[in-house]
Amino acid sequence: LETLHTTQRKGMFHTSEGVKRKRGKSGTSREDYLHSLVEGVRKAGTIEEKRKILAHLGNFAYDPLNFDVLIECRALSLWANVLKKEEDVKCKQYAIAAISNVCVDPRFGSEVFNHSFLSVCSCLSSTDEETVLSALSVLYYLRSPATKRALQQKELVAAVQRLANAKKPRVRSTAGALLRHISA
């Protein structure tokens, strides 16, 4: 599935040494930079500024090298808060996309399941295709014996079944894959 792939391209994931080499001796540390992005989202003066910073912060969520720092600066809490409170479709899209990238890590996955599960599920009814795809991906990644019961709730299964019959092929195939796993 396009949204669920974990293909590693040459140079896609960084090493600590590569990050230090790229930044140089006097550059801002990755830790400080990610902390400043999280704070920047909170202090953004306009929706455009908030979108830009959320998108940029989300770009760091694909690389496991950043996961410890993202945990330390409470990025997941920020993204979850955006899902719960933000009205802007693009902000929600960037937040759920970032969550879908980090929830493959068990530390993030359990946090998402325990504190943001309903917010993730609410994204399934979005009119934005990318938001729906990311939410389906999060639910796919959350599959485990501990989450099976929650993923098999009647309302959630019905929502995923509806998406499995969607006209958009990516949504249909991603929902179908999730449905096969939560129905088993």
Side-chain angles (χ1 to χ4, degrees):
L1 293 170
E2 185 176 355
T3 59
L4 301 178
H5 70 82
T6 56
T7 305
Q8 186 175 3
R9 287 177 251 158
K10 184 177 180 186
M12 184 173 171
F13 298 119
H14 298 102
T15 63
S16 301
E17 295 76 28
V19 169
K20 287 176 187 170
R21 203 172 37 254
K22 188 175 180 181
R23 142 179 126 220
K25 292 182 193 237
S26 61
T28 303
S29 73
R30 175 80 50 114
E31 294 82 5
D32 290 343
Y33 187 64
L34 291 176
H35 278 280
S36 73
L37 288 175
V38 169
E39 193 58 32
V41 171
R42 291 189 176 112
K43 292 182 176 180
T46 66
I47 198 66
E48 290 80 17
E49 186 180 0
K50 185 182 255 187
R51 284 177 183 167
K52 183 179 177 181
I53 299 169
L54 275 169
H56 194 55
L57 179 62
N59 285 337
F60 287 91
Y62 78 90
D63 193 339
L65 180 66
N66 299 320
F67 287 1
D68 288 337
V69 179
L70 290 170
I71 288 170
E72 180 187 312
C73 67
R74 302 192 33 81
L76 182 58
S77 176
L78 173 84
W79 294 319
N81 206 28
V82 168
L83 292 184
K84 288 177 188 167
K85 297 180 180 176
E86 186 61 55
E87 296 290 326
D88 186 71
V89 173
K90 281 292 185 192
C91 286
K92 285 187 178 218
Q93 180 191 89
Y94 299 145
I96 192 67
I99 291 170
S100 75
N101 283 327
V102 298
C103 77
V104 298
D105 183 292
R107 297 170 297 174
F108 285 105
S110 66
E111 188 75 15
V112 168
F113 181 73
N114 291 325
H115 301 288
S116 304
F117 185 72
L118 293 177
S119 296
V120 169
C121 291
S122 73
C123 290
L124 295 176
S125 62
S126 175
T127 57
D128 179 70
E129 182 178 5
E130 295 304 319
T131 298
V132 172
L133 288 166
S134 292
L136 288 166
S137 297
V138 170
L139 295 173
Y140 188 91
Y141 288 133
L142 290 179
R143 295 171 302 117
S144 75
T147 62
K148 185 174 184 173
R149 187 179 212 174
L151 290 171
Q152 290 179 334
Q153 291 177 30
K154 199 185 294 188
E155 299 84 6
L156 178 57
V157 172
V160 176
Q161 283 174 332
R162 182 178 36 74
L163 292 169
N165 293 316
K167 289 185 173 151
K168 297 184 178 189
R170 294 187 312 150
V171 171
R172 186 175 56 243
S173 65
T174 306
L178 176 59
L179 195 57
R180 284 189 294 279
H181 287 283
I182 63 175
S183 297

